[in-house]
Amino acid sequence: MPRKPVAKFTIDHLQVLDEHGVVDAKLDPKLPDERLLEMYRWMRLARELDERMLKLQRQGRLGTFPPNTGHEAVSIPVAMAMGPKDWFVGAFRETGGRLVRGEPLTSPLYYYNGWEEGNILPDPALRITPVSVVIGCQVPHAAGLAFASRYQGEDAATVCFIGDGGTSEGDFHEGLNFAAVWKAPMVCIVQNNQWAISIPRSAQTASQTMAQKAIAFGIPCVQVDGNDALAMWVAINEALDHARSGKGPYLIEAVTYRLMMHTTADDPKKYRSEAEEKCAWEKEPLIRFRAYLAGKGLWDDGKEGALIAEVKEQVDQAVRAFEAPVDWAQDTAFDHVYGTDHPHLHEQRAEFLANVRFDGGKEADHG
Amino acid sequence: MAKLTMVQAINLALTEEMERDPGVLVLGEDVAQDGGVFRLTDGLLEKFGPGRVLDTPLAESAILGTSIGMAMAGLRPVCEMQFCGFSYLMMGQFEAHATRMRARTHGQVTLPLVIRMPYGGGVRALEHHSESREVLWAHLPGAKVVLPSGPRNARALLAAAIRDPDPVVFMEPKHSYRAFREEVPDEPEVLPIGKAQVVQSGTDVTLVSWGAMMRPTLKAAAEITGKRGVSIEVIDLLSIAPLDAQAITDSVRKTGRCVVVQEAPRSFGPSSEITALINDKAFLYLEAPVARVTGYDVVTPYFGREKHYIPSAGRVARALETTLDF
């Protein structure tokens, strides 16, 4: 018996807009001008919100959060391409996409300031799952949601996000494998931002690309410049078509860079060079998109200034709403343990409330 | 009325619930073509087709993880962990998502799902196939943990678990799967989750147990009743979480004595919680310290030695006598 290759694979890399804003005419999706402007507006709004959240956190007005700056071109085009019945299954660096999908600007503010209210959607029909803090868990959820869409006869797909670090988790592999075997309409976006807290991409996996991990499950894949919103637009539309046509899941590796800290609780200077960061800032997604718009005659400094003022006002309003005094009950945790009524929780709630009264509404002393 | 084994009764409940609600589906390793390694799901594939009876790849975390996704979309998945010993791989999904989704969304997203798993010793099984680990799940707020003890209550509790709005861990005492038959009514029955049953009322001592231990417990009760002419109240908890504190409290306030029988290791198990509960609610009624008959705090030995480690009717009888004589 001769020895011969039984399978061969290639991984494509897709870039439509280079870091200077020069578009590849053949690959240009030729989006209508208003869609391009809408995309840029979302990216600018997400950036503004992120920068404001960092200020609020540094001033002690917000809890620890994972900044999203630099990731705008990944989740925003994806969310813009999704249909109303599709499920958006995020990890925690897709704030832009969540806003596009319909989450209010106040949601991340509440969530990262320690209020479950940040998870409550104005309408469950928005089909956005809560932030998944434990890395990787959301991939099997997405496979289950995708399965359910088909089971219920909906022409819908599920899009889930995970980071480069997340690809090391068992749930990433298990979830992709289930989705592939079930030919579930799911798209998995690996947001490869080069860093998982302090662990660089090179120490996370010996794979040449993140995309190729899909090959092992029989899932088609592509590597995309994740700082290029147009390439993401092209890739997500191909992926959604593939998933919706019954061919099963699709994986997109979006190559980007975590320009900020992992969360506000760490300092990247401890583990990476400023030269590396400086180089990454030159490739960030908004600069090139703005240059592209300007090249098409759609943008100039005046429009940029007006947009910045507009999104600042929008974020100001959200922060004012978020910081307005609220009179939320302290004992809500007892409301939502079960959907059924159980006496031990009544008893413990009474004990809790008695202790709150005893503390006189002051901060309890924890030593 | 038909006399069924627990295997047949569980299969009946699954069939009835799948017929009743098209959103109910079954998934797990070997549950479709093979009907499950204990044949619990036999015949479901033929009846409901591969769209609703799914053989999954071999990965416990994703079996629960995908069930969570299905439940978020409004389905009612009943997933199977082939053995309790393999279920720890889904602990992350269970703690991080199954038990928390309702709380983190203030009830906007709920997870009506059931995790079935065979548990317990006494069937001469391979390593990792004989443990009683109900406390691992019961400790987590938001979890419901149900342990039937016989065919009739297994069928009624599984129906309740499937209809429940929350995640339910349904632990099946595999020693009782085919050990005996029971009359099961023709009409579907539903038992409330979180409610114990007084299976025998009495006035001198309370015996509390659940799951597979109900057999040696009832045997010991009969033996001591015959031997000493005492009146023994026997409580079958049926659910560990939520625990029916009222049933235990009412009974111990009446009898003043209590013996708790659990198959699991002693420390930090349900019997510890029950003892603490009696301390809180019935201390002044006690005539004797609460006695516990439990597994030991050791790694479950291979089956060559297991018979001396699993609580027996003899141990329960001795504990009853010590408690009555105190």
Side-chain angles (χ1 to χ4, degrees):
Chain A
M1 291 289 277
R3 178 171 170 158
K4 56 182 185 184
V6 292
K8 277 188 181 173
F9 305 100
T10 54
I11 308 290
D12 284 351
H13 179 89
L14 176 69
Q15 186 192 56
V16 177
L17 200 58
D18 73 12
E19 61 193 84
H20 307 294
V22 178
V23 69
D24 183 312
K26 282 206 297 277
L27 295 172
D28 188 348
K30 300 193 172 58
L31 278 169
D33 292 348
E34 62 272 22
R35 285 293 264 173
L36 293 171
L37 293 169
E38 185 192 346
M39 199 177 270
Y40 185 62
R41 191 187 180 288
W42 281 120
M43 293 202 283
R44 195 35 89 194
L45 176 64
R47 178 70 60 91
E48 180 64 29
L49 175 64
D50 207 55
E51 289 174 351
R52 186 74 59 90
M53 284 170 71
L54 185 59
K55 281 183 198 143
L56 292 173
Q57 194 279 334
R58 294 306 193 223
Q59 293 164 356
R61 294 156 70 191
L62 189 73
T64 301
F65 84 100
N68 280 225
T69 290
H71 300 74
E72 295 86 353
V74 182
S75 69
I76 287 171
V78 167
M80 288 178 68
M82 288 169 67
K85 290 277 179 191
D86 296 340
W87 287 91
F88 184 101
V89 181
F92 50 78
R93 244 182 271 278
E94 301 84 23
T95 302
R98 288 175 178 274
L99 298 179
V100 174
R101 194 88 190 132
E103 204 173 86
L105 272 81
T106 45
S107 288
L109 296 168
Y110 289 134
Y111 181 84
Y112 289 113
N113 210 32
W115 298 100
E116 286 88 355
E117 280 75 1
N119 284 326
I120 300 169
L121 300 172
D123 180 353
L126 292 176
R127 296 197 163 183
I128 310 168
T129 62
V131 164
S132 184
V133 174
V134 180
I135 308 293
C137 289
Q138 70 277 18
V139 183
H141 301 173
L145 284 162
F147 175 93
S149 290
R150 190 179 55 200
Y151 188 96
Q152 293 162 329
E154 290 180 345
D155 180 24
T158 298
V159 180
C160 82
F161 294 84
I162 191 165
D164 43 309
T167 66
S168 300
E169 290 283 1
D171 270 354
F172 168 74
H173 297 263
E174 293 185 18
L176 284 180
N177 191 42
F178 273 51
V181 167
W182 289 342
K183 286 201 179 313
M186 171 176 124
V187 178
C188 179
I189 316 261
V190 178
Q191 200 158 219
N192 171 10
N193 66 16
Q194 316 303 324
W195 290 92
I197 307 188
S198 67
I199 308 301
R201 156 74 177 78
S202 60
Q204 194 64 248
T205 176
S207 298
Q208 202 178 341
T209 66
M210 293 288 172
Q212 74 199 60
K213 291 176 186 291
I215 302 291
F217 304 108
I219 297 176
C221 60
V222 64
Q223 186 188 67
V224 179
D225 182 342
N227 292 338
D228 170 1
L230 293 184
M232 283 303 299
W233 176 265
V234 171
I236 187 61
N237 279 289
E238 280 181 24
L240 286 170
D241 286 348
H242 177 92
R244 290 204 182 102
S245 68
K247 293 180 192 149
Y250 197 99
L251 185 140
I252 297 170
E253 174 189 358
V255 182
T256 180
Y257 191 87
R258 198 193 77 212
L259 292 168
M260 309 298 283
M261 55 295 283
H262 162 67
T263 69
T264 46
D266 77 294
D267 179 5
K269 285 195 185 67
K270 200 169 174 199
Y271 48 79
R272 71 186 187 191
S273 73
E274 285 180 58
E276 179 186 310
E277 288 183 14
K278 187 168 173 289
C279 181
W281 273 103
E282 285 164 12
K283 296 179 180 168
E284 67 93 26
L286 272 67
I287 296 173
R288 73 178 72 179
F289 205 83
R290 182 182 166 183
Y292 168 69
L293 293 179
K296 286 177 75 90
L298 295 171
W299 209 246
D300 56 32
D301 288 349
K303 286 181 173 157
E304 179 77 5
L307 175 62
I308 287 177
E310 185 192 322
V311 295
K312 266 189 197 306
E313 175 52 30
Q314 208 177 334
V315 172
D316 280 345
Q317 274 181 27
V319 172
R320 279 197 295 273
F322 153 69
E323 292 196 320
V326 289
D327 192 19
W328 288 332
Q330 286 292 324
D331 60 340
T332 51
F334 291 95
D335 295 335
H336 306 293
V337 183
Y338 297 120
T340 48
D341 196 39
H342 299 282
H344 72 294
L345 291 171
H346 292 288
E347 212 171 288
Q348 290 182 30
R349 186 201 298 260
E351 179 187 331
F352 169 85
L353 290 171
N355 280 313
V356 171
R357 277 195 300 276
F358 191 78
D359 290 332
K362 293 194 298 291
E363 190 78 13
D365 181 2
H366 301 293
Chain B
M1 291 283 253
K3 285 200 97 161
L4 301 183
T5 62
M6 188 183 285
V7 167
Q8 292 168 324
I10 288 171
N11 185 280
L12 176 64
L14 289 168
T15 307
E16 287 170 342
E17 290 307 300
M18 290 180 82
E19 280 169 350
R20 189 185 59 79
D21 180 351
V24 177
L25 69 162
V26 164
L27 67 154
E29 296 156 10
D30 307 296
V31 298
Q33 198 66 46
D34 198 31
V37 292
F38 287 102
R39 309 289 173 263
L40 270 289
T41 52
D42 236 358
L44 297 182
L45 177 66
E46 290 73 17
K47 219 166 270 165
F48 300 103
R52 290 180 72 189
V53 184
L54 310 175
D55 274 333
T56 65
L58 211 165
E60 288 74 14
S61 182
I63 290 173
L64 178 56
T66 54
S67 298
I68 289 170
M70 292 174 188
M72 285 170 101
L75 302 182
R76 288 184 179 263
V78 182
C79 67
E80 178 177 300
M81 298 288 135
Q82 202 159 66
F83 286 93
C84 165
F86 307 153
S87 65
Y88 317 124
L89 291 159
M90 59 108 178
M91 179 59 98
Q93 285 285 355
F94 189 74
E95 199 282 340
H97 297 284
T99 57
R100 287 170 180 259
M101 197 61 79
R102 173 183 292 279
R104 72 154 67 93
T105 63
H106 281 190
Q108 194 174 58
V109 185
T110 58
L111 300 176
L113 61 87
V114 180
I115 305 162
R116 291 184 35 245
M117 64 174 85
Y119 86 93
V123 296
R124 300 174 62 79
L126 194 60
E127 188 176 11
H128 308 296
H129 291 60
S130 302
E131 286 74 13
S132 185
R133 298 278 190 253
E134 60 272 31
V135 69
L136 292 184
W137 317 110
H139 184 69
L140 303 174
K144 288 177 175 168
V145 183
V146 173
L147 298 98
S149 60
R152 184 170 177 176
N153 62 37
R155 185 244 206 153
L157 286 167
L158 183 54
I162 293 170
R163 298 175 194 191
D164 198 87
D166 299 310
V168 179
V169 181
F170 191 81
M171 300 185 70
E172 301 165 1
K174 60 179 168 300
H175 185 253
S176 305
Y177 268 162
R178 293 184 171 83
F180 60 102
R181 287 172 184 270
E182 223 172 48
E183 292 284 353
V184 172
D186 295 333
E187 286 306 305
E189 283 188 306
V190 181
L191 276 173
I193 289 174
K195 284 273 180 231
Q197 274 185 344
V198 177
V199 293
Q200 175 181 313
S201 44
T203 52
D204 297 329
V205 60
T206 302
L207 252 178
V208 179
S209 194
W210 57 93
M213 287 295 102
M214 283 310 295
R215 298 271 286 169
T217 296
L218 285 165
K219 202 168 173 190
E223 187 196 322
I224 298 303
T225 304
K227 185 174 162 188
R228 302 181 49 147
V230 289
S231 164
I232 302 176
E233 180 139 307
V234 182
I235 295 178
D236 183 348
L237 286 180
L238 300 175
S239 303
I240 292 297
L243 188 65
D244 190 346
Q246 196 64 49
I248 298 167
T249 307
D250 289 348
S251 180
V252 177
R253 284 183 177 179
K254 179 172 67 175
T255 63
R257 298 174 201 268
C258 185
V259 177
V260 188
V261 186
Q262 86 176 13
E263 184 174 347
R266 182 166 309 159
S267 301
F268 310 102
S271 70
S272 313
E273 185 58 37
I274 292 162
T275 307
L277 171 79
I278 294 168
N279 182 59
D280 287 348
K281 305 279 186 190
F283 181 73
L284 294 175
Y285 297 80
L286 286 179
E287 304 288 344
V290 177
R292 293 190 285 158
V293 180
T294 70
Y296 301 100
D297 291 340
V298 298
V299 174
T300 308
Y302 290 5
F303 70 77
R305 291 190 175 85
E306 76 175 334
K307 64 173 181 283
H308 295 297
Y309 286 83
I310 299 171
S312 60
R315 277 183 66 195
V316 179
R318 289 195 289 281
L320 269 175
E321 295 214 76
T322 309
T323 302
L324 286 163
D325 292 339
F326 185 84

